[in-house]
PDB file of all heavy atoms in Angstrom:
ATOM      1  N   ILE A  25     -18.400 -78.877  39.921  1.00 95.00           N
ATOM      2  CA  ILE A  25     -18.247 -80.389  39.763  1.00 95.00           C
ATOM      3  C   ILE A  25     -19.499 -80.908  39.387  1.00 95.00           C
ATOM      4  O   ILE A  25     -20.490 -80.746  40.189  1.00 95.00           O
ATOM      5  CB  ILE A  25     -17.692 -80.991  41.063  1.00 95.00           C
ATOM      6  CG1 ILE A  25     -16.414 -80.341  41.590  1.00 95.00           C
ATOM      7  CG2 ILE A  25     -17.595 -82.531  40.924  1.00 95.00           C
ATOM      8  CD1 ILE A  25     -15.268 -80.548  40.752  1.00 95.00           C
ATOM      9  N   ILE A  27     -21.918 -84.012  38.609  1.00 97.00           N
ATOM     10  CA  ILE A  27     -21.951 -85.474  38.810  1.00 97.00           C
ATOM     11  C   ILE A  27     -23.265 -86.015  38.305  1.00 97.00           C
ATOM     12  O   ILE A  27     -24.348 -85.993  39.050  1.00 97.00           O
ATOM     13  CB  ILE A  27     -21.896 -85.763  40.364  1.00 97.00           C
ATOM     14  CG1 ILE A  27     -20.643 -85.082  40.931  1.00 97.00           C
ATOM     15  CG2 ILE A  27     -21.932 -87.301  40.660  1.00 97.00           C
ATOM     16  CD1 ILE A  27     -20.560 -85.250  42.507  1.00 97.00           C
ATOM     17  N   SER A  34     -24.427 -95.534  46.322  1.00 94.00           N
ATOM     18  CA  SER A  34     -23.226 -95.728  47.184  1.00 94.00           C
ATOM     19  C   SER A  34     -22.072 -95.039  46.695  1.00 94.00           C
ATOM     20  O   SER A  34     -21.245 -94.492  47.327  1.00 94.00           O
ATOM     21  CB  SER A  34     -22.895 -97.190  47.447  1.00 94.00           C
ATOM     22  OG  SER A  34     -22.691 -97.908  46.288  1.00 94.00           O
ATOM     23  N   LEU A  35     -21.850 -95.029  45.244  1.00 96.00           N
ATOM     24  CA  LEU A  35     -20.763 -94.335  44.649  1.00 96.00           C
ATOM     25  C   LEU A  35     -20.965 -92.874  44.639  1.00 96.00           C
ATOM     26  O   LEU A  35     -20.027 -92.081  44.785  1.00 96.00           O
ATOM     27  CB  LEU A  35     -20.657 -94.820  43.223  1.00 96.00           C
ATOM     28  CG  LEU A  35     -20.129 -96.130  43.032  1.00 96.00           C
ATOM     29  CD1 LEU A  35     -20.075 -96.496  41.461  1.00 96.00           C
ATOM     30  CD2 LEU A  35     -18.887 -96.472  43.697  1.00 96.00           C
ATOM     31  N   LEU A  36     -22.260 -92.332  44.629  1.00 96.00           N
ATOM     32  CA  LEU A  36     -22.530 -90.898  44.843  1.00 96.00           C
ATOM     33  C   LEU A  36     -22.055 -90.430  46.224  1.00 96.00           C
ATOM     34  O   LEU A  36     -21.411 -89.389  46.226  1.00 96.00           O
ATOM     35  CB  LEU A  36     -23.936 -90.604  44.626  1.00 96.00           C
ATOM     36  CG  LEU A  36     -24.349 -89.140  44.861  1.00 96.00           C
ATOM     37  CD1 LEU A  36     -23.660 -88.207  43.922  1.00 96.00           C
ATOM     38  CD2 LEU A  36     -25.862 -88.946  44.744  1.00 96.00           C
ATOM     39  N   ILE A  37     -22.258 -91.202  47.175  1.00 96.00           N
ATOM     40  CA  ILE A  37     -21.808 -90.818  48.541  1.00 96.00           C
ATOM     41  C   ILE A  37     -20.290 -90.677  48.588  1.00 96.00           C
ATOM     42  O   ILE A  37     -19.730 -89.745  49.153  1.00 96.00           O
ATOM     43  CB  ILE A  37     -22.320 -91.758  49.603  1.00 96.00           C
ATOM     44  CG1 ILE A  37     -23.789 -91.728  49.779  1.00 96.00           C
ATOM     45  CG2 ILE A  37     -21.485 -91.581  50.898  1.00 96.00           C
ATOM     46  CD1 ILE A  37     -24.411 -92.858  50.633  1.00 96.00           C
ATOM     47  N   ARG A  38     -19.584 -91.676  47.897  1.00 95.00           N
ATOM     48  CA  ARG A  38     -18.120 -91.601  47.858  1.00 95.00           C
ATOM     49  C   ARG A  38     -17.711 -90.440  47.154  1.00 95.00           C
ATOM     50  O   ARG A  38     -16.614 -89.723  47.602  1.00 95.00           O
ATOM     51  CB  ARG A  38     -17.560 -92.939  47.256  1.00 95.00           C
ATOM     52  CG  ARG A  38     -17.480 -94.055  48.034  1.00 95.00           C
ATOM     53  CD  ARG A  38     -16.961 -95.361  47.537  1.00 95.00           C
ATOM     54  NE  ARG A  38     -15.546 -95.009  46.766  1.00 95.00           N
ATOM     55  CZ  ARG A  38     -15.007 -95.819  45.926  1.00 95.00           C
ATOM     56  NH1 ARG A  38     -15.610 -96.848  45.518  1.00 95.00           N
ATOM     57  NH2 ARG A  38     -13.830 -95.488  45.460  1.00 95.00           N
ATOM     58  N   ALA A  39     -18.361 -90.034  46.116  1.00 95.00           N
ATOM     59  CA  ALA A  39     -17.984 -89.013  45.227  1.00 95.00           C
ATOM     60  C   ALA A  39     -18.056 -87.619  45.980  1.00 95.00           C
ATOM     61  O   ALA A  39     -17.244 -86.722  45.985  1.00 95.00           O
ATOM     62  CB  ALA A  39     -18.704 -88.878  43.882  1.00 95.00           C
ATOM     63  N   LEU A  40     -19.337 -87.441  46.609  1.00 96.00           N
ATOM     64  CA  LEU A  40     -19.511 -86.273  47.419  1.00 96.00           C
ATOM     65  C   LEU A  40     -18.610 -86.070  48.564  1.00 96.00           C
ATOM     66  O   LEU A  40     -18.082 -84.985  48.814  1.00 96.00           O
ATOM     67  CB  LEU A  40     -20.984 -86.265  47.915  1.00 96.00           C
ATOM     68  CG  LEU A  40     -22.164 -86.081  46.782  1.00 96.00           C
ATOM     69  CD1 LEU A  40     -23.472 -86.264  47.420  1.00 96.00           C
ATOM     70  CD2 LEU A  40     -21.930 -84.683  46.239  1.00 96.00           C
ATOM     71  N   ASP A  41     -18.297 -87.180  49.198  1.00 95.00           N
ATOM     72  CA  ASP A  41     -17.347 -87.079  50.425  1.00 95.00           C
ATOM     73  C   ASP A  41     -16.025 -86.711  49.879  1.00 95.00           C
ATOM     74  O   ASP A  41     -15.312 -85.895  50.687  1.00 95.00           O
ATOM     75  CB  ASP A  41     -17.285 -88.525  51.192  1.00 95.00           C
ATOM     76  CG  ASP A  41     -18.551 -88.629  52.016  1.00 95.00           C
ATOM     77  OD1 ASP A  41     -19.261 -87.762  52.296  1.00 95.00           O
ATOM     78  OD2 ASP A  41     -18.727 -89.815  52.437  1.00 95.00           O
ATOM     79  N   SER A  42     -15.628 -87.217  48.771  1.00 93.00           N
ATOM     80  CA  SER A  42     -14.250 -86.897  48.201  1.00 93.00           C
ATOM     81  C   SER A  42     -14.252 -85.401  47.855  1.00 93.00           C
ATOM     82  O   SER A  42     -13.224 -84.846  48.159  1.00 93.00           O
ATOM     83  CB  SER A  42     -14.107 -87.715  46.987  1.00 93.00           C
ATOM     84  OG  SER A  42     -12.850 -87.320  46.331  1.00 93.00           O
ATOM     85  N   VAL A  43     -15.234 -84.940  47.203  1.00 92.00           N
ATOM     86  CA  VAL A  43     -15.121 -83.379  46.820  1.00 92.00           C
ATOM     87  C   VAL A  43     -15.230 -82.477  47.970  1.00 92.00           C
ATOM     88  O   VAL A  43     -14.499 -81.510  48.061  1.00 92.00           O
ATOM     89  CB  VAL A  43     -16.203 -83.277  45.757  1.00 92.00           C
ATOM     90  CG1 VAL A  43     -16.403 -81.669  45.503  1.00 92.00           C
ATOM     91  CG2 VAL A  43     -16.125 -84.005  44.472  1.00 92.00           C
ATOM     92  N   ILE A  44     -16.073 -82.885  48.994  1.00 91.00           N
ATOM     93  CA  ILE A  44     -16.236 -81.795  50.114  1.00 91.00           C
ATOM     94  C   ILE A  44     -15.059 -81.910  51.080  1.00 91.00           C
ATOM     95  O   ILE A  44     -14.871 -81.029  51.854  1.00 91.00           O
ATOM     96  CB  ILE A  44     -17.572 -82.127  50.879  1.00 91.00           C
ATOM     97  CG1 ILE A  44     -17.692 -83.503  51.481  1.00 91.00           C
ATOM     98  CG2 ILE A  44     -18.700 -81.707  49.934  1.00 91.00           C
ATOM     99  CD1 ILE A  44     -18.901 -83.638  52.330  1.00 91.00           C
ATOM    100  N   SER A  45     -14.244 -82.984  50.867  1.00 89.00           N
ATOM    101  CA  SER A  45     -13.010 -83.079  51.810  1.00 89.00           C
ATOM    102  C   SER A  45     -11.921 -82.195  51.254  1.00 89.00           C
ATOM    103  O   SER A  45     -10.935 -81.977  52.018  1.00 89.00           O
ATOM    104  CB  SER A  45     -12.593 -84.482  51.877  1.00 89.00           C
ATOM    105  OG  SER A  45     -12.082 -84.842  50.636  1.00 89.00           O
ATOM    106  N   LYS A  46     -12.039 -81.683  50.178  1.00 84.00           N
ATOM    107  CA  LYS A  46     -11.014 -80.717  49.633  1.00 84.00           C
ATOM    108  C   LYS A  46     -11.000 -79.392  50.353  1.00 84.00           C
ATOM    109  O   LYS A  46     -12.032 -78.884  50.760  1.00 84.00           O
ATOM    110  CB  LYS A  46     -11.165 -80.574  48.093  1.00 84.00           C
ATOM    111  CG  LYS A  46     -11.185 -81.868  47.327  1.00 84.00           C
ATOM    112  CD  LYS A  46      -9.954 -82.651  47.505  1.00 84.00           C
ATOM    113  CE  LYS A  46      -9.985 -83.927  46.688  1.00 84.00           C
ATOM    114  NZ  LYS A  46      -9.437 -85.079  47.439  1.00 84.00           N
ATOM    115  N   ASP A  47      -9.884 -78.733  50.262  1.00 79.00           N
ATOM    116  CA  ASP A  47      -9.783 -77.319  50.786  1.00 79.00           C
ATOM    117  C   ASP A  47     -10.650 -76.310  49.998  1.00 79.00           C
ATOM    118  O   ASP A  47     -11.120 -75.397  50.606  1.00 79.00           O
ATOM    119  CB  ASP A  47      -8.418 -76.900  50.876  1.00 79.00           C
ATOM    120  CG  ASP A  47      -7.483 -77.668  51.891  1.00 79.00           C
ATOM    121  OD1 ASP A  47      -8.171 -78.227  52.880  1.00 79.00           O
ATOM    122  OD2 ASP A  47      -6.330 -77.736  51.742  1.00 79.00           O
ATOM    123  N   HIS A  48     -10.753 -76.504  48.750  1.00 81.00           N
ATOM    124  CA  HIS A  48     -11.485 -75.487  47.912  1.00 81.00           C
ATOM    125  C   HIS A  48     -12.996 -75.862  47.968  1.00 81.00           C
ATOM    126  O   HIS A  48     -13.343 -76.964  48.003  1.00 81.00           O
ATOM    127  CB  HIS A  48     -10.994 -75.498  46.516  1.00 81.00           C
ATOM    128  CG  HIS A  48     -11.561 -74.575  45.558  1.00 81.00           C
ATOM    129  ND1 HIS A  48     -11.194 -73.303  45.511  1.00 81.00           N
ATOM    130  CD2 HIS A  48     -12.578 -74.644  44.737  1.00 81.00           C
ATOM    131  CE1 HIS A  48     -11.990 -72.542  44.744  1.00 81.00           C
ATOM    132  NE2 HIS A  48     -12.808 -73.438  44.225  1.00 81.00           N
ATOM    133  N   VAL A  49     -13.739 -74.714  47.970  1.00 78.00           N
ATOM    134  CA  VAL A  49     -15.249 -74.944  48.004  1.00 78.00           C
ATOM    135  C   VAL A  49     -15.718 -74.920  46.516  1.00 78.00           C
ATOM    136  O   VAL A  49     -15.384 -73.954  45.786  1.00 78.00           O
ATOM    137  CB  VAL A  49     -15.882 -73.913  48.794  1.00 78.00           C
ATOM    138  CG1 VAL A  49     -17.437 -74.020  48.660  1.00 78.00           C
ATOM    139  CG2 VAL A  49     -15.539 -73.853  50.162  1.00 78.00           C
ATOM    140  N   PHE A  50     -16.326 -75.921  46.021  1.00 86.00           N
ATOM    141  CA  PHE A  50     -16.726 -76.068  44.657  1.00 86.00           C
ATOM    142  C   PHE A  50     -18.308 -75.943  44.676  1.00 86.00           C
ATOM    143  O   PHE A  50     -18.947 -76.306  45.702  1.00 86.00           O
ATOM    144  CB  PHE A  50     -16.388 -77.488  44.135  1.00 86.00           C
ATOM    145  CG  PHE A  50     -14.936 -77.758  44.051  1.00 86.00           C
ATOM    146  CD1 PHE A  50     -14.329 -78.595  44.963  1.00 86.00           C
ATOM    147  CD2 PHE A  50     -14.234 -77.375  43.056  1.00 86.00           C
ATOM    148  CE1 PHE A  50     -12.976 -78.800  44.841  1.00 86.00           C
ATOM    149  CE2 PHE A  50     -12.812 -77.661  42.916  1.00 86.00           C
ATOM    150  CZ  PHE A  50     -12.242 -78.432  43.946  1.00 86.00           C
ATOM    151  N   ILE A  52     -21.280 -77.842  43.397  1.00 95.00           N
ATOM    152  CA  ILE A  52     -21.467 -79.247  43.090  1.00 95.00           C
ATOM    153  C   ILE A  52     -22.922 -79.478  42.604  1.00 95.00           C
ATOM    154  O   ILE A  52     -23.833 -79.156  43.350  1.00 95.00           O
ATOM    155  CB  ILE A  52     -21.221 -80.109  44.378  1.00 95.00           C
ATOM    156  CG1 ILE A  52     -19.759 -79.879  44.804  1.00 95.00           C
ATOM    157  CG2 ILE A  52     -21.392 -81.619  43.893  1.00 95.00           C
ATOM    158  CD1 ILE A  52     -19.530 -80.541  46.206  1.00 95.00           C
ATOM    159  N   LYS A  72     -28.929 -85.940  53.710  1.00 97.00           N
ATOM    160  CA  LYS A  72     -27.714 -85.900  54.463  1.00 97.00           C
ATOM    161  C   LYS A  72     -26.778 -84.773  54.087  1.00 97.00           C
ATOM    162  O   LYS A  72     -26.053 -84.263  54.965  1.00 97.00           O
ATOM    163  CB  LYS A  72     -27.056 -87.348  54.075  1.00 97.00           C
ATOM    164  CG  LYS A  72     -25.591 -87.417  54.681  1.00 97.00           C
ATOM    165  CD  LYS A  72     -24.908 -88.679  54.279  1.00 97.00           C
ATOM    166  CE  LYS A  72     -23.507 -88.802  54.764  1.00 97.00           C
ATOM    167  NZ  LYS A  72     -22.801 -89.970  54.456  1.00 97.00           N
ATOM    168  N   TYR A  73     -26.798 -84.295  52.894  1.00 96.00           N
ATOM    169  CA  TYR A  73     -25.922 -83.217  52.410  1.00 96.00           C
ATOM    170  C   TYR A  73     -26.607 -81.875  52.363  1.00 96.00           C
ATOM    171  O   TYR A  73     -26.048 -80.906  51.853  1.00 96.00           O
ATOM    172  CB  TYR A  73     -25.252 -83.573  51.119  1.00 96.00           C
ATOM    173  CG  TYR A  73     -24.297 -84.778  51.109  1.00 96.00           C
ATOM    174  CD1 TYR A  73     -24.790 -86.001  50.838  1.00 96.00           C
ATOM    175  CD2 TYR A  73     -23.031 -84.579  51.537  1.00 96.00           C
ATOM    176  CE1 TYR A  73     -23.931 -87.100  50.940  1.00 96.00           C
ATOM    177  CE2 TYR A  73     -22.078 -85.629  51.627  1.00 96.00           C
ATOM    178  CZ  TYR A  73     -22.497 -86.906  51.291  1.00 96.00           C
ATOM    179  OH  TYR A  73     -21.678 -88.044  51.451  1.00 96.00           O
ATOM    180  N   PHE A  76     -24.978 -78.494  53.067  1.00 93.00           N
ATOM    181  CA  PHE A  76     -23.975 -77.927  52.161  1.00 93.00           C
ATOM    182  C   PHE A  76     -24.702 -77.152  51.122  1.00 93.00           C
ATOM    183  O   PHE A  76     -25.229 -77.694  50.224  1.00 93.00           O
ATOM    184  CB  PHE A  76     -23.115 -79.056  51.590  1.00 93.00           C
ATOM    185  CG  PHE A  76     -22.245 -79.838  52.484  1.00 93.00           C
ATOM    186  CD1 PHE A  76     -22.743 -80.937  53.068  1.00 93.00           C
ATOM    187  CD2 PHE A  76     -20.931 -79.369  52.814  1.00 93.00           C
ATOM    188  CE1 PHE A  76     -21.951 -81.767  54.080  1.00 93.00           C
ATOM    189  CE2 PHE A  76     -20.124 -79.969  53.678  1.00 93.00           C
ATOM    190  CZ  PHE A  76     -20.596 -81.217  54.299  1.00 93.00           C
ATOM    191  N   ASN A  78     -23.518 -75.503  48.739  1.00 93.00           N
ATOM    192  CA  ASN A  78     -22.912 -75.461  47.410  1.00 93.00           C
ATOM    193  C   ASN A  78     -23.230 -76.761  46.649  1.00 93.00           C
ATOM    194  O   ASN A  78     -22.830 -76.884  45.441  1.00 93.00           O
ATOM    195  CB  ASN A  78     -21.403 -75.274  47.544  1.00 93.00           C
ATOM    196  CG  ASN A  78     -20.819 -76.465  48.477  1.00 93.00           C
ATOM    197  OD1 ASN A  78     -21.346 -76.809  49.450  1.00 93.00           O
ATOM    198  ND2 ASN A  78     -19.764 -76.997  48.059  1.00 93.00           N
ATOM    199  N   ILE A  79     -24.101 -77.622  47.215  1.00 95.00           N
ATOM    200  CA  ILE A  79     -24.513 -78.753  46.540  1.00 95.00           C
ATOM    201  C   ILE A  79     -25.910 -78.712  46.203  1.00 95.00           C
ATOM    202  O   ILE A  79     -26.800 -78.426  46.989  1.00 95.00           O
ATOM    203  CB  ILE A  79     -24.364 -80.074  47.420  1.00 95.00           C
ATOM    204  CG1 ILE A  79     -22.878 -80.266  47.817  1.00 95.00           C
ATOM    205  CG2 ILE A  79     -24.786 -81.274  46.711  1.00 95.00           C
ATOM    206  CD1 ILE A  79     -22.620 -81.381  48.812  1.00 95.00           C
ATOM    207  N   LEU A 108     -16.251 -82.986  35.277  1.00 95.00           N
ATOM    208  CA  LEU A 108     -17.164 -84.056  35.272  1.00 95.00           C
ATOM    209  C   LEU A 108     -16.614 -85.091  36.269  1.00 95.00           C
ATOM    210  O   LEU A 108     -15.318 -85.421  36.139  1.00 95.00           O
ATOM    211  CB  LEU A 108     -17.324 -84.754  33.940  1.00 95.00           C
ATOM    212  CG  LEU A 108     -18.102 -86.077  33.808  1.00 95.00           C
ATOM    213  CD1 LEU A 108     -19.518 -85.769  34.163  1.00 95.00           C
ATOM    214  CD2 LEU A 108     -18.103 -86.566  32.425  1.00 95.00           C
ATOM    215  N   LEU A 109     -17.410 -85.572  37.185  1.00 91.00           N
ATOM    216  CA  LEU A 109     -16.862 -86.568  38.040  1.00 91.00           C
ATOM    217  C   LEU A 109     -17.847 -87.838  37.977  1.00 91.00           C
ATOM    218  O   LEU A 109     -18.973 -87.811  37.930  1.00 91.00           O
ATOM    219  CB  LEU A 109     -17.059 -86.002  39.535  1.00 91.00           C
ATOM    220  CG  LEU A 109     -16.362 -87.002  40.713  1.00 91.00           C
ATOM    221  CD1 LEU A 109     -14.892 -87.082  40.415  1.00 91.00           C
ATOM    222  CD2 LEU A 109     -16.665 -86.288  42.027  1.00 91.00           C
TER     223      LEU A 109
END
Side-chain angles (χ1 to χ4, degrees):
I25 305 295
I27 307 174
S34 61
L35 292 179
L36 176 59
I37 293 170
R38 282 182 54 194
L40 289 171
D41 287 343
S42 173
V43 174
I44 62 176
S45 71
K46 305 301 179 213
D47 290 335
H48 184 79
V49 177
F50 299 99
I52 303 167
K72 176 181 177 181
Y73 293 94
F76 295 90
N78 59 318
I79 301 176
L108 175 63
L109 187 63

